[in-house]
Amino acid sequence: MNPIVQFGSHVRPSSTENASRLPIESIGHAHDEFLRLGADIEVLEPAELRERISATARALARTYADTETGNPSAHGGN
């Protein structure tokens, strides 16, 4: 499996002009490795990997949303 990804801070989901195919061993492994790159990468394919990363990003956003208002979340914030 070779997911299609884009690198850089100005990635566009509909554009594959600057996309690359990268070999991976599994969806789980790719998920963990690509998350390390934060917002500097966007997975375009496969859909299963894109959806899994999207779900993780939403969960992280919920976890850290309260820190913007100064209210640590109930997940162990001080």
Side-chain angles (χ1 to χ4, degrees):
M1 177 183 315
N2 295 318
I4 299 175
V5 299
Q6 290 185 355
F7 299 94
S9 58
H10 300 290
V11 294
R12 300 225 190 294
S14 60
S15 171
T16 58
E17 182 177 318
N18 295 315
S20 299
R21 288 189 181 270
L22 301 174
I24 60 168
E25 65 182 59
S26 69
I27 295 292
H29 182 257
H31 170 267
D32 296 347
E33 291 297 317
F34 291 160
L35 279 181
R36 294 175 192 218
L37 300 173
D40 289 330
I41 189 171
E42 180 178 10
V43 173
L44 302 177
E45 294 178 9
E48 178 184 358
L49 177 57
R50 183 175 172 87
E51 290 164 8
R52 187 165 172 186
I53 289 176
S54 177
T56 300
R58 286 191 306 273
L60 285 168
R62 284 190 303 272
T63 297
Y64 290 99
D66 289 338
T67 60
E68 292 179 7
T69 61
N71 298 322
S73 70
H75 299 289
N78 293 331

